[in-house]
Amino acid sequence: MADSVRVKHGNCGTDSPGASPVAGRKKAQSSPGCRTKYQAGAPGHSFRKVTLTKPTFCHHCSDFIWGLAGFLCEVCSFMSHEKCLKHMKTVCSCMAPTLVRVPVAHCFGPPGHKKKFCAVCRKQLEGSSALRCEVCELHVHVDCAQFSCSDCRLCHQDGHQDHDVYHHHWREGNLSSGARCEVCRRTCGSSEVLAGMRCEWCGITAHASCYVIIAPECNFGRLRNMILHPTCVRICSRNFSKMHCYRISESFQTELDNSDDIDVPNPGTTKETQATSSPDSSKQTLKVFDGDDAVKRNQFRLVSIPRITKNEEVVEAALRAFYIPEEPQDYELQIYGQQGLVSEDIINRNGATDNKALSVFKDYMPEAWILRAKLKDSDVLKIYAGWLKLGVAYISISLKKTSTVDSVIRDVLQQLGKQEEDPEGFNLVEVYMGSKQVQRQVLTNQELLLEKIQDIRKTSLRQMNQTRFYIVEKKNTVVQVSLLVGGLPAQLNNSEYTKLLQEHLAIKSHLVSLAHIYTGQGAVALDISCFSEAERIYMLAKDTTINGKQLYSLVIPEIMHKKLPRDCCPLLVFVNPKSGGLKGRDLLYSFRKLLNPHQVFELTSGGPLAGLHTFREVPYFRILVCGGDGTVGWVLGVLEEVRHKLTCSEPAIGIVPLGTGNDLARVLRWGAGYSGEDPYNILVAVDEADEVQMDRWTILLDAQEVVDDGKENGILEPPKIVQMSNYCGLGIDAELSLDFHHAREEEPGKFNSRFHNKGVYVKVGLQKLSHNRNLHKDLKLQVDKQDVELPNIEGLIFLNIPSWGSGADLWGSDSDGRFGKPRIDDGMLEVVGVTGVVHMGQVQSGLRSGIRIAQGNYIRITVMKPIPVQVDGEPWIQAPGQIIISAAGPKVHMLRKSKTKQKKQAANLKEAKMDSLSTTEGGH
């Protein structure tokens, strides 16, 4: 590895131009490699003094660099004051693999819309060329992604690994400008550079010079009681990527995998991509590959160097381009020809003055070069012992040509003082810490390690830089992978589901068992005792349809509920990414980052059942639903079906309103709609919310077809049962909802904002101004078994909550001796009528209220003609028949936002504005 200081090379004389494959035709006066390399306090950096041509900020202290001189790292573009060089704690990007404690791959998704900086090259991200990890705060360019290592958060126990103590997971930069240091309490964020550190678990922030004195163990911060602790989650993920384990949409990941991962310009498009340049140019560009794999994929890096330079500096520039922190003496450049590599074409051996090499270069400039490690008869290999829970990070072992895996294991055990242990009880595991996937391979006992290392370096030097070798104890672990397979026909018995799975998925009964069956949802949970069988079923289910319905399959983690802390109440989060335009997608990302991604579920992948099944044994938990009222009703409906299988049968539910009306969220004080509040503050508000009870209602729809002679012709369709939380409407109210629903189905892409949605509602309403329906002649109403005479109305609405049509008070606040004051938990429905579109508009404007008709807990409606009906915003045309509304068993528990929390947020917002103002004034 590179030392913490890159010093000036010893031989700085004026060498012959022939010593370099890129030397100019004129004699070099002095080598550019002789410029001073400046000392830094953190390893890996290679600083040189540069002249600044535009306003620049220091990456260490984030202050402005006054004057014309700065110090730039040639590897990672770290810019610094001269005074900050010796105080630096941030290591160079090329050293990032050495800091990884437990390798965990990233889950790359599309970039956000905010200004961010790349964690590898430290430059600002630009548009679609950027990626962000869905689980941690890692932002990188597409070209830089392969140079980032697998240092994502460890969110579960994988197989036999057991990590009881969790340290802070530090990520550099991309903090809010108002972030304050945990140590010195000064501002540590910056919007100008990649500066400051943040723990991805507890959220504390600190300066790069301060975070090193913070105690390493993380307590998970303010949200500790809501976070599903990683020690309580176990998943066997050997054959599954992290995207599968976290149930993250794979559409973007597929595009990413099919794209080039490295800087691969088209050689025919620009002059900069050519390996040669005009004789007058002071710079020229080399096309460099880092191994055979890069040659096959045509993945190269362009290295720009002066025409007059030494061999050693050329090699060093190539190493810097690939973020390899090694010394150039151990590497060489080889010519890449049309027929592949030829050994006699090696012309850039360090310090060589081969005449043949000089003549080859003088005749032509090679099109491309391959960076190679020199073959050696011995090497030093680091063997990591992290999984043995020892105090030492790694053991350095000297390798010879005859060194085998077995002999290395013996040497390691001897150095660890475990000579009495049987070497047969240990394995040597090769771990490739790629940014997208961590690959593990158990090496055979007689494998020659020096040869193995040389093969890896020949394939890819970058891959070798991200490869580790671990010594691990052999353990007989029981393989159990849990899959949830849905989309099956509903209401079948065990044998019928087993027969379907054997017919369509060819499951092997001795490896697969049905652990849980959800007949109402048409889903089964499978326990599988073989990795390859689990992977086969997982992939095959996604390509299978039964009765025209597409199956889905999800990897389900095991929550070890006995390990949960006593005061822990983990939060189960459901997000509908289709609600609220892009806000649903951003919330999904934010909650995965703030919590454990295993407790955040995307409703477009398996619906609410996947999350409820995962939390089935958790003794006490809460639910947060991010979506509209329809989404909340969906979650409540599934919860009602599977309640008997949950240890916590009555979890309280909070709401982040992403819909158009959001009437239930208004009643529970969660607001009229999400408008970009800080997701962290939302979670704190959920933690401090009060639990209240709310009535739920069952609507039985018994449709019958009536022929002209008035005789019944049998039941048109079986009775239909619908659950209601907010309200149910018949007539003009439901007709407007139905027209809006049809408009949204025709052009769904346009319905991504509340403003547009409400505009469509207004347009649909104006078209109904001349509408005249004598609803009272088409309906008969009974309330608590008493006939109720209907006035001349066009719409009949049954209210469970005191909010309708985006916050309107349809019942009204006037006191009336005939009726009690409405409440959401009084077991009563309010029956209200409206006379038309104009009346509805007046109600929503606060000018009038509806026509109070009745109040009761058992409603029967006789429908004599087809009529529009809507329940909680879901509309349809109801055929003639009976509609019965009655209480739906136990009340549901909801979370109502605390009033004190609302006051705190207002005060915090005022304080934040004052801080921002003072920071701005100080900056000026």
Side-chain angles (χ1 to χ4, degrees):
M1 288 293 180
D3 295 329
S4 60
V5 180
R6 289 274 182 104
V7 296
K8 177 178 172 182
H9 294 297
N11 182 11
C12 290
T14 54
D15 292 350
S16 167
S20 169
V22 290
R25 296 184 182 277
K26 298 180 181 179
K27 185 176 180 180
Q29 298 300 318
S30 63
S31 170
C34 291
R35 60 177 176 264
T36 305
K37 301 291 182 67
Y38 291 86
Q39 183 174 343
H45 292 290
S46 179
F47 281 100
R48 62 182 175 89
K49 194 173 184 178
V50 294
T51 301
L52 304 179
T53 58
K54 59 182 180 180
T56 308
F57 292 82
C58 175
H59 291 200
H60 174 71
C61 65
S62 71
D63 289 340
F64 186 77
I65 301 179
W66 297 97
L68 299 178
F71 293 82
L72 176 70
C73 175
E74 297 177 301
V75 183
C76 67
S77 303
F78 192 106
M79 182 65 75
S80 173
H81 291 104
E82 183 176 11
K83 65 179 181 180
C84 292
L85 285 179
K86 293 184 179 181
H87 303 289
M88 282 176 50
K89 302 296 182 183
T90 306
V91 301
C92 184
S93 299
C94 66
M95 300 295 291
T98 64
L99 303 180
V100 177
R101 297 185 66 249
V102 180
V104 180
H106 292 285
C107 300
F108 286 123
H113 50 80
K114 296 182 180 179
K115 179 181 176 182
K116 299 291 182 181
F117 295 89
C118 177
V120 176
C121 70
R122 312 184 69 86
K123 297 178 182 177
Q124 188 173 342
L125 300 177
E126 298 175 0
S128 59
S129 66
L131 304 171
R132 69 177 178 183
C133 177
E134 297 283 330
V135 181
C136 72
E137 191 69 34
L138 180 78
H139 298 261
V140 291
H141 291 104
V142 172
D143 296 341
C144 296
Q146 66 158 357
F147 298 108
S148 63
C149 56
S150 52
D151 61 344
C152 193
R153 287 190 299 162
L154 179 65
C155 298
H156 60 260
Q157 309 296 320
D158 197 340
H160 64 272
Q161 298 175 36
D162 188 13
H163 304 278
D164 296 326
V165 178
Y166 273 72
H167 291 182
H168 290 292
H169 190 99
W170 295 108
R171 178 72 67 208
E172 184 187 8
N174 292 315
L175 310 180
S176 64
S177 56
R180 292 189 177 276
C181 178
E182 187 74 9
V183 177
C184 66
R185 305 310 302 170
R186 295 171 54 201
T187 301
C188 59
S190 173
S191 58
E192 302 296 335
V193 292
L194 191 75
M197 307 294 289
R198 179 184 185 275
C199 173
E200 293 301 302
W201 279 117
C202 64
I204 64 171
T205 53
H207 291 102
S209 56
C210 293
Y211 87 101
V212 292
I213 65 175
I214 296 176
E217 188 171 347
C218 181
N219 65 357
F220 291 81
R222 170 66 179 81
L223 305 177
R224 69 177 69 88
N225 293 334
M226 308 175 69
I227 292 177
L228 186 61
H229 201 287
T231 57
C232 305
V233 186
R234 181 168 56 199
I235 189 169
C236 295
S237 62
R238 192 182 72 176
N239 290 34
F240 297 100
S241 70
K242 287 295 179 289
M243 305 291 283
H244 295 154
C245 295
Y246 298 144
R247 305 161 307 280
I248 296 175
S249 176
E250 299 177 56
S251 56
F252 182 83
Q253 184 68 15
T254 303
E255 296 173 10
L256 179 62
D257 291 339
N258 292 334
S259 66
D260 293 327
D261 296 335
I262 194 171
D263 188 7
V264 190
N266 182 353
T269 55
T270 60
K271 293 181 180 180
E272 287 78 11
T273 60
Q274 302 298 326
T276 59
S277 59
S278 63
D280 312 9
S281 174
S282 62
K283 293 264 188 184
Q284 65 183 328
T285 305
L286 302 180
K287 182 196 293 186
V288 181
F289 299 92
D290 77 322
D292 295 346
D293 185 64
V295 171
K296 290 177 183 177
R297 298 171 181 268
N298 193 32
Q299 295 177 343
F300 55 86
R301 299 284 283 180
L302 297 177
V303 181
S304 179
I305 56 172
R307 291 185 55 83
I308 305 174
T309 188
K310 293 171 55 181
N311 293 344
E312 196 168 275
E313 281 97 41
V314 178
V315 175
E316 187 177 10
L319 289 171
R320 288 199 299 265
F322 285 99
Y323 294 88
I324 299 173
E326 305 283 356
E327 294 299 337
Q329 290 84 354
D330 297 327
Y331 292 84
E332 61 192 12
L333 284 173
Q334 298 177 350
I335 296 176
Y336 171 65
Q338 297 296 330
Q339 303 302 322
L341 265 176
V342 183
S343 59
E344 57 265 24
D345 285 341
I346 300 174
I347 63 171
N348 188 31
R349 297 191 180 276
N350 293 297
T353 55
D354 193 331
N355 291 331
K356 181 179 178 182
L358 176 59
S359 64
V360 169
F361 170 73
K362 284 186 175 181
D363 294 337
Y364 70 96
M365 182 62 185
E367 177 186 353
W369 301 79
I370 299 182
L371 183 63
R372 295 287 197 197
K374 294 180 181 179
L375 296 179
K376 296 186 292 185
D377 294 334
S378 62
D379 208 334
V380 176
L381 181 65
K382 292 179 179 178
I383 307 295
Y384 284 78
W387 294 344
L388 295 181
K389 296 186 179 180
L390 300 175
V392 61
Y394 59 83
I395 300 294
S396 296
I397 299 293
S398 298
L399 297 182
K400 300 178 182 178
K401 286 187 175 181
T402 57
S403 298
T404 63
V405 169
D406 184 59
S407 65
V408 167
I409 290 177
R410 293 176 186 275
D411 290 346
V412 172
L413 292 176
Q414 185 173 4
Q415 290 198 37
L416 293 174
K418 292 181 173 285
Q419 299 90 332
E420 68 282 358
E421 298 282 352
D422 183 7
E424 294 296 326
F426 294 86
N427 283 327
L428 194 63
V429 181
E430 175 195 341
V431 178
Y432 170 53
M433 305 186 299
S435 59
K436 296 180 192 174
Q437 190 172 4
V438 176
Q439 301 175 1
R440 295 179 173 89
Q441 178 186 358
V442 178
L443 304 181
T444 59
N445 284 350
Q446 299 308 314
E447 195 163 354
L448 297 174
L449 272 180
L450 185 60
E451 185 178 319
K452 175 75 176 178
I453 292 172
Q454 291 172 346
D455 287 344
I456 297 174
R457 284 177 174 149
K458 186 177 180 183
T459 301
S460 171
L461 292 175
R462 173 187 55 83
Q463 180 177 331
M464 184 62 214
N465 189 43
Q466 296 180 346
T467 297
R468 278 186 185 177
F469 293 87
Y470 282 88
I471 181 170
V472 297
E473 294 178 277
K474 291 181 182 178
K475 288 186 178 180
N476 295 324
T477 55
V478 178
V479 175
Q480 180 172 310
V481 181
S482 297
L483 295 183
L484 182 68
V485 178
L488 299 164
Q491 306 302 334
L492 302 182
N493 57 38
N494 293 20
S495 59
E496 289 173 320
Y497 280 121
T498 302
K499 184 178 178 182
L500 269 179
L501 294 174
Q502 288 176 341
E503 179 183 347
H504 293 276
L505 302 180
I507 65 172
K508 300 173 182 176
S509 57
H510 65 288
L511 298 176
V512 182
S513 61
L514 273 67
H516 296 272
I517 297 177
Y518 299 95
T519 57
Q521 298 291 312
V524 296
L526 306 177
D527 284 345
I528 306 170
S529 59
C530 174
F531 283 119
S532 57
E533 176 70 0
E535 184 182 27
R536 186 189 66 80
I537 293 174
Y538 177 85
M539 301 306 296
L540 183 58
K542 291 179 175 292
D543 298 326
T544 302
T545 55
I546 297 180
N547 297 340
K549 191 173 181 180
Q550 179 76 44
L551 298 187
Y552 66 83
S553 58
L554 299 171
V555 181
I556 299 297
E558 176 193 358
I559 298 181
M560 297 176 284
H561 59 280
K562 293 182 180 179
K563 285 192 172 184
L564 287 169
R566 182 174 299 177
D567 57 347
C568 178
C569 175
L571 185 68
L572 173 58
V573 181
F574 292 114
V575 182
N576 188 348
K578 294 183 179 180
S579 298
L582 296 176
K583 292 176 182 176
R585 179 73 185 83
D586 289 342
L587 274 176
L588 187 66
Y589 166 74
S590 297
F591 287 139
R592 281 195 185 122
K593 188 166 65 70
L594 289 168
L595 303 170
N596 189 324
H598 286 299
Q599 63 188 114
V600 182
F601 288 78
E602 186 176 350
L603 286 172
T604 52
S605 300
L609 178 62
L612 294 172
H613 172 70
T614 301
F615 274 61
R616 66 192 180 279
E617 294 183 343
V618 177
Y620 184 55
F621 66 94
R622 287 179 166 188
I623 296 175
L624 180 64
V625 181
C626 306
D629 287 345
T631 303
V632 178
W634 182 17
V635 173
L636 286 171
V638 176
L639 175 62
E640 189 69 31
E641 285 188 22
V642 304
R643 187 190 302 274
H644 64 285
K645 292 195 175 186
L646 303 179
T647 302
C648 177
S649 59
E650 297 180 352
I653 299 173
I655 304 172
V656 177
L658 297 180
T660 303
N662 302 313
D663 288 292
L664 182 56
R666 294 170 191 262
V667 171
L668 297 173
R669 301 179 187 150
W670 294 108
Y674 176 73
S675 55
E677 292 88 352
D678 186 354
Y680 175 83
N681 290 337
I682 292 175
L683 294 177
V684 173
V686 171
D687 189 43
E688 297 180 353
D690 305 316
E691 289 194 19
V692 296
Q693 291 186 330
M694 184 181 74
D695 298 322
R696 282 271 286 171
W697 300 86
T698 297
I699 303 178
L700 176 65
L701 304 157
D702 186 5
Q704 295 178 333
E705 184 179 14
V706 181
V707 293
D708 294 337
D709 58 3
K711 295 181 181 179
E712 289 189 4
N713 193 25
I715 296 178
L716 179 67
E717 57 183 85
K720 184 178 179 182
I721 297 177
V722 179
Q723 302 293 328
M724 182 190 82
S725 301
N726 298 356
Y727 37 68
C728 170
L730 290 79
I732 187 64
D733 168 49
E735 195 170 339
L736 295 181
S737 295
L738 190 62
D739 289 347
F740 175 83
H741 178 72
H742 289 158
R744 183 166 54 184
E745 281 189 334
E746 289 177 3
E747 296 179 293
K750 292 184 177 181
F751 290 76
N752 53 12
S753 72
R754 296 189 193 96
F755 183 78
H756 177 268
N757 294 353
K758 290 181 179 179
V760 174
Y761 262 118
V762 171
K763 180 180 177 182
V764 170
L766 292 175
Q767 295 172 351
K768 305 289 181 182
L769 279 176
S770 60
H771 184 277
N772 186 18
R773 177 196 290 272
N774 295 319
L775 190 67
H776 61 287
K777 296 180 180 179
D778 301 332
L779 299 178
K780 289 184 180 179
L781 174 65
Q782 279 188 354
V783 178
D784 293 340
K785 298 184 179 181
Q786 298 292 324
D787 292 335
V788 176
E789 185 178 351
L790 292 174
N792 190 356
I793 56 176
E794 286 191 37
L796 186 63
I797 302 165
F798 304 91
L799 299 172
N800 184 46
I801 62 175
S803 178
W804 168 87
S806 300
D809 185 5
L810 187 60
W811 181 259
S813 57
D814 296 340
S815 60
D816 191 333
R818 297 175 302 163
F819 308 109
K821 186 177 180 180
R823 296 206 337 258
I824 64 174
D825 62 345
D826 60 359
M828 305 282 281
L829 283 176
E830 285 68 49
V831 186
V832 190
V834 292
T835 59
V837 174
V838 174
H839 187 186
M840 292 170 62
Q842 291 172 331
V843 170
Q844 290 183 325
S845 301
L847 302 176
R848 289 180 62 184
S849 57
I851 302 172
R852 298 179 183 178
I853 296 175
Q855 203 175 32
N857 58 21
Y858 182 83
I859 312 291
R860 178 186 288 270
I861 307 133
T862 303
V863 180
M864 291 172 281
K865 289 184 180 179
I867 188 173
V869 176
Q870 66 94 2
V871 175
D872 290 345
E874 299 298 323
W876 69 88
I877 296 293
Q878 180 63 29
Q882 300 288 326
I883 300 177
I884 298 174
I885 307 177
S886 60
K891 303 178 189 293
V892 294
H893 292 247
M894 304 298 293
L895 291 173
R896 182 168 60 192
K897 192 173 185 180
S898 169
K899 284 186 176 180
T900 56
K901 180 60 187 174
Q902 290 176 316
K903 293 178 181 178
K904 285 181 184 177
Q905 282 189 335
N908 290 341
L909 183 61
K910 184 177 180 180
E911 183 182 351
K913 288 181 178 179
M914 295 298 293
D915 286 346
S916 176
L917 181 62
S918 62
T919 302
T920 306
E921 291 173 349
H924 289 313

